[in-house]
Each structure stands twice: as C-alpha cells, then as structure tokens.
Amino acid sequence: SVVHEFARGWKNDPATLPWLKARAQDDAHAAVRRSVVREVARGWKGDPGTLQWLKARAQDGTHADVRQSAIHELARGWKNDPDTLQILKIRVQNDEDADVRQSAVYEVARGWKNDPDTLQILKVRAQDDENAEVRRSAVQEIARGWKNDPDTLSWLKGRAQDDEHAAVRQSAAQEVARLEE
C-alpha cells in the first residue's frame, strides 16, 4: 500500500511519524487509517511514544476502524504490557461498535485464555451481546479454547437452543457436533 511504502521509505525522516499519526485521525478513508495504525505499531515499535499512542487509539471514540486495528496491534506486539488486557476487556464489554467488540473477543480468547476472567467475559458476550456476529464469535472461541472444560458442552447446547438468532444457534450446534465426535 501507499502508506506501507511511505512508512518504509521515509522512516528516518523526522516528519514521517507525526504525519502518519495525523492520518490515523484525519484521513477520510478507513483503509488508510487502519493501515497507518499497523505501520506505526510495527515500524516504530521501539519508539517510546508508540505504545501510549496505540493505547489511546484503542480507546478513541472517533473511528471504530482505528480502535479495531489498535486492538489487534496491542495484542500482537504488546501482550505483556499490563494495560493491554484491561483495554481489550473494556473493548469486549463496552465498545459501541460490534466489529470492535468482535475483534476484541478474538484477541482476548486467543491471547489470554488462562486469564481467570476470560471465559466468563466471553460467555457474557455470547449470551448478551446485541449483535449476533459478536455472539457467534464468542461461541466459536469458547468451543475452540475451552473444549476440555467440563461445562462447555452443556453450555454450547444451551446456546444452540436458546439464542434468538439462527446463525448463532447453528454455530453452537456445529460446535456441539464437533465436540461430541
């Protein structure tokens, strides 16, 4: 992409990073904003301001696509930072945008399976999220990550029967079938 080439080609120019950061907020195109977040996170990982900038973007209310990209980059590059999981938990539970919640579900389930709150947070999303795709993603992540948990099979059967949306019921039923094989 143009952003990728620009970020790589002018990485040593002191004006490049501020220009890129401004694009994450001001560019009219969502794809550019997402690409900028990725390039800053990966190209300036060692810069002391990058982590704070990403944390702010993950919580910024302006652009859902920027939050989604920042969440991914935090989970990918700063998993061990003590704030990362807390930011992701907040996005899973409270973000106004379903795509952001869905991405956060994925990142928390994949990166923090052993955190004592993760399974319960996912179950709440799978049962209570207003968006069927978020519920479906949470069901799939629970089935994938907690297949050996003694409660998972019966819990999935409940989702297969009780969810109001056919796609969620179908997904839960498919996961039940996989676990019973």
Side-chain angles (χ1 to χ4, degrees):
S1 75
V2 173
V3 171
H4 175 76
E5 295 304 319
F6 182 80
R8 300 292 160 93
W10 284 274
K11 186 174 193 271
N12 295 325
D13 185 323
T16 299
L17 183 58
W19 184 84
L20 285 170
K21 287 179 175 180
R23 297 287 61 75
Q25 292 304 109
D26 302 335
D27 200 275
H29 301 283
V32 171
R33 293 190 302 265
R34 282 190 306 270
S35 183
V36 165
V37 171
R38 182 178 57 249
E39 291 303 326
V40 170
R42 296 177 187 188
W44 282 268
K45 188 173 196 278
D47 185 286
T50 298
L51 177 58
Q52 290 308 321
W53 182 80
L54 270 178
K55 288 177 182 179
R57 297 298 68 78
Q59 299 171 85
D60 181 0
T62 309
H63 300 292
D65 52 324
V66 170
R67 290 193 308 277
Q68 189 174 15
S69 188
I71 283 166
H72 175 73
E73 294 304 327
L74 282 171
R76 179 186 176 275
W78 286 272
K79 184 176 187 249
N80 296 324
D81 183 83
D83 295 334
T84 297
L85 179 56
Q86 188 59 35
I87 290 169
L88 293 176
K89 285 179 179 180
I90 290 168
R91 294 301 99 201
V92 164
Q93 298 172 75
N94 299 321
D95 201 277
E96 64 193 33
D97 186 85
D99 290 337
V100 175
R101 291 193 310 275
Q102 187 175 18
S103 291
V105 160
Y106 175 82
E107 297 297 350
V108 169
R110 300 287 169 115
W112 286 271
K113 181 180 182 277
N114 296 324
D115 183 81
D117 298 333
T118 298
L119 181 57
Q120 185 57 38
I121 288 171
L122 294 177
K123 283 183 175 181
V124 169
R125 282 305 94 208
Q127 291 173 217
D128 297 340
D129 200 277
E130 65 191 33
N131 183 278
E133 282 303 306
V134 175
R135 292 195 310 275
R136 192 178 65 74
S137 292
V139 163
Q140 290 173 334
E141 293 302 326
I142 290 168
R144 186 194 68 77
W146 287 267
K147 63 184 171 198
N148 296 324
D149 185 292
D151 297 330
T152 297
L153 185 59
S154 63
W155 183 86
L156 285 169
K157 286 178 179 179
R159 292 290 80 220
Q161 292 175 342
D162 298 338
D163 198 273
E164 64 190 40
H165 198 277
V168 178
R169 289 192 310 273
Q170 180 182 6
S171 189
Q174 287 172 338
E175 297 300 340
V176 166
R178 248 193 290 281
L179 290 177
E180 289 183 329
E181 286 180 349

